[in-house]
């Protein structure tokens, strides 16, 4: 079995590539958001890049599920009301999938179409995004994004 190369240190150029990949996939499906909701902290950069590419407003929310593997500290977990019939929810990585599932459920209504997008989607997550740039196996190494300071 051939080992898959995993880009563990994506650059800002890779973020732009991921955003274009997501836009291309949305175009194939015929989905165009008129609002982006980006999950801070990781999804903020991708959300802003997509906002520029699609010329739609972005709302950055501070949210992290208490059930998942994300850092559930430093988040107020308050999800604001938003406008928009077509909403794209964005994060950098779907790890456990709990945050994306909870935010997606919050914004889904009978009169709103909600889709989700991430740079990386991980095997075994409880929720998988509609659009993603790269697929990660369950045991993949940690992804170090360029905006993280450690």
């Amino acid at each position: 079995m051939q080992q898959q190369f995993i880009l563990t240190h994506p650059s800002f150029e890779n973020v732009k590539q991921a955003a274009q990949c997501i836009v291309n996939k949305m175009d194939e499906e015929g989905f165009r958001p008129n609002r982006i909701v980006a999950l801070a902290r990781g999804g903020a950069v991708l959300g802003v890049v997509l906002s520029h590419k699609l010329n739609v407003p972005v709302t950055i929310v501070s949210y992290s599920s208490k059930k998942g593997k994300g850092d559930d500290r430093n988040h107020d977990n308050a999800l604001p009301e938003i406008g928009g019939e077509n909403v794209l929810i964005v994060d950098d990585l779907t790890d456990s999938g709990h945050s994306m599932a909870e935010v997606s459920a919050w914004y889904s209504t009978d009169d709103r179409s909600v889709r989700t997008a991430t740079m990386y989607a991980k095997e075994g997550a409880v929720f998988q995004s509609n659009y993603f740039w790269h697929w990660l196996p369950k045991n993949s190494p940690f992804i170090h994004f360029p905006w993280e300071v450690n």
Side-chain angles (χ1 to χ4, degrees), residues 69 94-96 121-126 128 135-140:
K69 298 177 182 177
T94 301
D95 193 357
S96 71
K122 196 172 217 179
E123 176 186 20
V126 298
Q128 291 298 337
W135 180 254
L136 296 174
K138 249 184 210 183
N139 62 348
S140 66

Side-chain angles (χ1 to χ4, degrees), residues 5 9-10 19 29 31 37 47 49 55-56 62 77 83 94-95 103-105 110-111 122 126 131-132 139 145-146:
F5 172 76
H9 291 77
E29 186 182 285
F31 178 76
V37 174
V49 173
N55 196 29
V56 298
S62 178
N77 284 5
T94 301
D95 193 357
V103 174
S104 180
D110 290 340
D111 57 344
K122 196 172 217 179
V126 298
Y131 316 109
F132 59 89
N139 62 348
F145 292 97

